[in-house]
């Protein structure tokens, strides 16, 4: 038995034979052409055919994986209309008098090299996209079809890498999992794999020649790839797969059902996301909305401050994709363990207690206003709510509201539409809990960030592995603070939810229902398991027992 460790991009267990997928390499030769105009027309014809193929792939992907994940094929179409890309090919054909295949291949290599050299992880992934669209054109120019993955029996596909168009063409009934030597969790291929529900590993150092046709196991939970597994491993993995499939099947039956307890209390179950790329998982897992969109990742992925327009496009896309469902976007929460060099922040001895989140926004209002303008503009396209992090006082909320009114006045004077936006705050400091009765009169909702609330309540750095044995998120002090926050929210007639890790803690779900939590926002993959607990709980019967057990 040989064991390889990779990085999981989707969980699950797959057992079957390996089929090594090798790309049909395009052998591109350079030759001189006398009629450059005709050669450019030949290229344009191939490009038009590639666009038609991509439209068909988009339609197929929409049906199978949803609009959010299918968008990659629209991006590929846009790449084929990119003026820089086209100018390079046209110019090469005209000035060097070379064939279209050579011009496309060379341009592809140049653009891929440019993207690969960028620091931004997302932009690095565009190198693969350029290669993918270029290979499609080359296949058309050479009279062949672009490579596809085909197998007669269900197999584990192993490859050096897979392009998005190759992934979406997989026959899901015949593909048990895929394992790639290269690739990254930021790639569109990884997103598609997660959305399609296929166990997948990337960055797995497999010798392709040695595994073809062999029996293997992919453990998407641990990131392990077993080739020629021994009897004991096979038995363990078969049992793990059986339990996994059983659990997934049970949860799938919960799709479309409302989150209502046995005694009739409705709970909103939303999803936490850090990137627009996570939307597919939100939709796949039937979340009622987005309870936390971590907008700081827009800043962390950039080398300079994102513009109003850049942010607006992202917020608008999220709002439109969620089609009227609530989307709660947290304003910039940078600082502490999330640093962006261009903010030029000074070194701090204790950044977790330092210059971060709303403190940056209130002291650098130009950054804050840019984000607020983008958020309010996007609110005209869906159900957007705004949430402010790291609040410790009523004065802070009043300052925020003043800036918001200035932004709304600016937009109104410019005749820019915006919606009716709910505004709430994160309760993640003991100070906010202690003045939550007063805070509740100033906002539309509370969302309890249990990660920081636990850290600050217990005076324990949650990033420090040496303190792990002391870090107790079930501590009665933390749980009582959650209860106090919920009670004060309800007293003022607003709702209160939880968006920290505790929201998905199966041990505490019934307690949260018992103390009146209105909403739980969890990672997309946990939505259905939380729904299961809600549907099985009788709050009235279990309230006293839960409160006695935990508080």
């Amino acid at each position: 038995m040989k064991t390889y460790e990779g990085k999981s991009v989707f969980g699950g267990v797959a057992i079957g034979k390996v089929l090594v997928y090798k790309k049909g390499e395009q052998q591109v030769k350079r030759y001189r052409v006398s009629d450059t105009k005709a050669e450019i027309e030949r290229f344009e014809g191939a490009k038009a055919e590639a666009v038609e193929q991509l439209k068909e792939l988009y339609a197929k992907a929409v049906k199978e994986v949803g609009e959010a994940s299918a968008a990659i094929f629209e991006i590929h179409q846009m790449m084929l209309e990119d003026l820089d890309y086209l100018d390079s090919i046209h110019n090469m054909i005209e000035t060097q008098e070379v064939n279209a295949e050579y011009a496309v291949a060379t341009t592809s290599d140049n653009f891929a090299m440019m993207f690969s050299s960028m620091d931004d992880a997302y932009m690095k992934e565009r190198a693969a996209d350029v290669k993918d669209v270029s290979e499609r054109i080359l296949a058309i120019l050479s009279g062949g079809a672009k490579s596809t993955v085909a197998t007669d029996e269900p197999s584990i596909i192993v490859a050096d890498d897979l392009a998005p168009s190759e992934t979406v063409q997989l026959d899901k009934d015949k593909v048990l999992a895929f394992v790639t030597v290269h690739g990254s969790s930021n790639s569109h291929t990884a997103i598609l794999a997660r959305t399609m529900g296929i166990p997948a590993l990337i960055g797995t150092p497999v010798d392709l020649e040695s595994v073809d046709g062999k029996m293997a196991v992919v453990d998407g939970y641990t990131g392990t790839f077993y080739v020629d597994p021994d009897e004991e491993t096979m038995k363990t993995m078969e049992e793990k797969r059986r339990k996994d499939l059983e659990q997934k099947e049970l949860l799938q039956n919960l799709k479309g059902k409302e989150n209502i307890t046995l005694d009739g209390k409705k709970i909103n179950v939303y999803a936490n996301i850090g990137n627009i790329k996570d939307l597919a998982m939100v939709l796949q897992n039937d979340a009622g909305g987005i309870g936390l969109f971590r907008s700081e990742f827009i800043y962390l992925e950039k080398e300079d401050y994102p513009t109003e327009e850049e942010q607006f496009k992202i917020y608008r896309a999220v709002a439109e994709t969620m089609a009227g469902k609530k989307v709660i976007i947290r304003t910039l929460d940078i600082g502490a363990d999330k640093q962006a060099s261009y903010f030029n922040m000074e070194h701090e001895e204790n950044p977790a207690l330092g210059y971060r989140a709303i403190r940056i926004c209130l002291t650098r209002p130009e950054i804050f206003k840019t984000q607020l303008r983008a958020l309010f503009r996007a609110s005209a396209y869906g159900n957007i709510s705004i949430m402010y992090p790291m609040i410790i006082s009523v004065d802070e909320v009043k300052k925020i509201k003043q800036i918001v009114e200035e932004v709304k006045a600016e937009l109104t004077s410019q005749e820019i539409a915006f919606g009716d936006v709910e505004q709430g705050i994160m309760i993640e400091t003991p100070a906010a809990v202690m003045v939550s009765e007063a805070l509740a009169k100033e906002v539309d909702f509370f969302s309890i960030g249990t990660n920081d609330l636990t850290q600050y309540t217990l005076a324990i750095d949650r990033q420090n592995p040496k303190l792990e044995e002391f870090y107790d998120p079930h501590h009665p002090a933390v749980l009582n603070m959650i209860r106090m926050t919920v009670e004060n929210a309800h007293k003022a007639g607003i709702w209160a939810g939880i968006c920290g890790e505790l929201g998905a803690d199966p041990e505490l779900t019934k307690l949260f229902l018992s103390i009146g939590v209105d909403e739980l926002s969890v990672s997309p993959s946990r939505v259905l398991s939380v729904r299961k607990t809600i549907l099985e709980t009788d709050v009235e019967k279990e309230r006293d027992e839960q409160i006695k057990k935990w508080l």
Side-chain angles (χ1 to χ4, degrees):
M1 177 175 75
K2 277 200 170 185
T3 303
Y4 302 90
E5 297 297 328
K7 182 176 181 181
S8 173
V9 294
F10 193 81
V13 177
I15 300 174
K17 284 188 178 180
V18 170
L19 175 66
V20 172
Y21 170 69
K22 295 178 181 176
K23 291 180 184 288
E25 292 292 325
Q26 298 289 338
Q27 297 296 323
V28 177
K29 293 182 179 179
R30 172 177 176 152
Y31 58 85
R32 186 178 177 278
V33 295
S34 55
D35 189 345
T36 56
K37 185 178 178 182
E39 194 66 9
I40 288 174
E41 287 176 359
R42 191 167 78 91
F43 162 71
E44 288 293 334
K47 187 197 79 171
E49 187 175 335
V51 169
E52 289 305 310
Q53 288 181 5
L54 288 165
K55 286 179 180 176
E56 291 177 12
L57 280 173
Y58 174 77
K60 183 178 188 295
V62 166
K63 290 178 184 176
E64 294 188 357
V65 296
E67 287 188 19
S69 291
I72 176 58
F73 299 112
E74 288 189 316
I75 292 171
H76 281 194
Q77 289 176 56
M78 286 189 283
M79 279 185 171
L80 288 176
E81 301 298 340
D82 181 82
L83 291 179
D84 292 328
Y85 179 79
L86 296 177
D87 285 349
S88 174
I89 294 169
H90 287 181
N91 183 64
M92 206 172 295
I93 293 172
E94 287 177 343
T95 61
Q96 298 182 34
E97 298 182 338
V98 293
N99 54 312
E101 290 91 340
Y102 180 80
V104 170
T106 304
T107 297
S108 172
D109 289 342
N110 291 342
F111 274 62
M113 188 186 306
M114 175 183 69
F115 284 126
S116 296
S117 66
M118 293 181 177
D119 293 330
D120 185 282
Y122 179 79
M123 294 309 294
K124 281 180 183 289
E125 291 307 323
R126 303 296 65 76
D129 292 332
V130 169
K131 286 283 191 184
D132 196 15
V133 295
S134 299
E135 284 174 14
R136 182 173 299 282
I137 294 176
L138 289 172
I140 295 167
L141 286 169
S142 63
K146 196 171 186 298
S147 303
T148 58
V149 180
T151 172
D152 293 329
E153 62 175 319
S155 306
I156 295 170
I157 303 298
V158 179
D160 185 66
D161 200 359
L162 285 168
S165 56
E166 291 163 339
T167 309
V168 81
Q169 290 179 89
L170 299 175
D171 181 349
K172 287 188 285 184
D173 294 331
K174 298 288 176 63
V175 178
L176 302 172
F178 75 73
V179 177
T180 63
V181 178
H182 297 104
S184 85
S185 54
N186 291 316
S187 69
H188 288 290
T189 303
I191 297 166
L192 285 169
R194 288 191 288 262
T195 308
M196 292 163 72
I198 298 174
L201 307 182
I202 58 172
T204 317
V206 183
D207 176 2
L208 299 180
E209 299 298 330
S210 69
V211 300
D212 199 15
K214 294 186 176 178
M215 182 59 68
V217 178
V218 176
D219 187 341
Y221 295 108
T222 63
T224 310
F225 181 43
Y226 302 95
V227 179
D228 280 337
D230 56 37
E231 191 175 334
E232 185 180 348
T233 300
M234 183 66 86
K235 187 176 180 181
T236 302
M237 288 294 109
E238 283 176 341
E239 178 61 16
K240 189 171 184 177
R241 181 180 63 172
R242 186 189 66 77
K243 289 181 178 178
D244 178 58
L245 293 174
E246 190 177 86
Q247 181 67 13
K248 283 181 177 176
E249 189 176 335
L250 285 172
L251 291 178
Q252 289 303 308
N253 292 332
L254 300 178
K255 281 190 175 181
K257 293 191 176 181
E258 289 193 280
N259 309 300
I260 299 177
T261 64
L262 292 173
D263 54 326
K265 181 175 173 58
K266 183 175 179 179
I267 308 295
N268 287 318
V269 181
Y270 296 159
N272 297 335
I273 65 172
N275 198 298
I276 194 169
K277 302 170 198 171
D278 298 330
L279 282 175
M281 285 291 283
V282 175
L283 299 176
Q284 182 190 10
N285 287 282
D286 199 31
I290 294 171
L292 170 63
F293 183 106
R294 302 178 178 94
S295 71
E296 59 271 15
F297 284 95
I298 298 172
Y299 294 76
L300 293 171
E301 291 174 355
K302 301 283 288 182
E303 293 183 5
D304 202 352
Y305 298 102
T307 64
E308 177 184 326
E309 197 63 27
E310 287 172 331
Q311 294 187 64
F312 163 69
K313 287 178 180 176
I314 293 171
Y315 303 144
R316 174 179 172 173
V318 175
E320 288 179 333
T321 302
M322 292 306 293
K325 292 180 179 179
K326 188 181 288 292
V327 176
I328 302 174
I329 300 176
R330 178 173 70 189
T331 57
L332 177 64
D333 186 10
I334 212 158
D337 58 326
K338 291 173 285 190
Q339 297 284 341
S341 60
Y342 59 86
F343 272 74
N344 297 315
M345 292 190 286
E346 296 177 3
H347 172 74
E348 295 179 296
E349 290 300 323
N350 196 338
L353 300 180
Y355 188 52
R356 60 174 294 197
I358 203 65
R359 297 163 188 175
I360 294 174
C361 291
L362 291 177
T363 54
R364 299 175 70 174
E366 70 284 357
I367 296 174
F368 195 28
K369 278 190 171 183
T370 297
Q371 181 172 33
L372 288 173
R373 281 180 60 90
L375 286 166
F376 273 95
R377 285 174 59 197
S379 70
Y381 298 89
N383 186 7
I384 284 180
S385 298
I386 302 175
M387 178 163 68
Y388 307 104
M390 282 297 290
I391 298 298
I392 62 170
S393 70
V394 171
D395 282 346
E396 286 175 336
V397 176
K398 288 183 175 178
K399 287 177 184 175
I400 291 167
K401 290 167 81 172
Q402 182 181 339
I403 294 172
V404 165
E405 288 307 311
E406 291 172 8
V407 167
K408 289 165 71 175
E410 286 175 8
L411 293 173
T412 300
S413 68
Q414 294 167 356
E415 298 185 351
I416 297 174
F418 57 88
D420 185 16
V421 178
E422 264 195 339
Q423 295 179 77
I425 60 173
M426 289 191 73
I427 303 292
E428 49 191 336
T429 66
V433 174
M434 298 312 294
V435 295
S436 56
E437 186 173 1
L439 288 169
K441 296 171 184 175
E442 300 290 334
V443 297
D444 299 313
F445 65 91
F446 284 160
S447 188
I448 304 167
T450 56
N451 303 351
D452 272 335
L453 182 60
T454 302
Q455 171 176 245
Y456 296 135
T457 301
L458 302 182
I460 288 179
D461 179 1
R462 60 190 173 96
Q463 306 290 334
N464 189 339
K466 292 180 181 177
L467 300 177
E468 195 168 326
E469 63 177 298
F470 301 103
Y471 185 81
D472 178 17
H474 293 178
H475 195 292
V478 176
L479 301 180
N480 271 300
M481 284 197 167
I482 293 172
R483 177 167 70 166
M484 180 179 176
T485 301
V486 174
E487 288 174 349
N488 284 331
H490 291 170
K491 200 184 298 182
I494 67 172
W495 63 268
I498 293 175
C499 65
E501 290 298 311
L502 282 190
D505 189 326
E507 292 185 68
L508 294 176
T509 304
K510 291 186 177 182
L511 171 66
F512 294 149
L513 298 177
S514 298
I515 61 178
V517 170
D518 303 292
E519 175 252 10
L520 294 169
S521 190
V522 301
S523 63
S525 61
R526 302 301 299 274
V527 167
L528 293 175
S529 58
V530 171
R531 177 174 296 167
K532 182 174 183 291
T533 304
I534 291 170
L535 294 172
E536 294 171 349
T537 302
D538 187 318
V539 178
E540 289 300 322
K541 284 184 179 178
E542 299 188 45
R543 179 180 286 114
D544 291 344
E545 179 187 340
Q546 287 294 319
I547 290 175
K548 182 179 179 182
K549 176 182 178 181
W550 295 104
L551 304 175

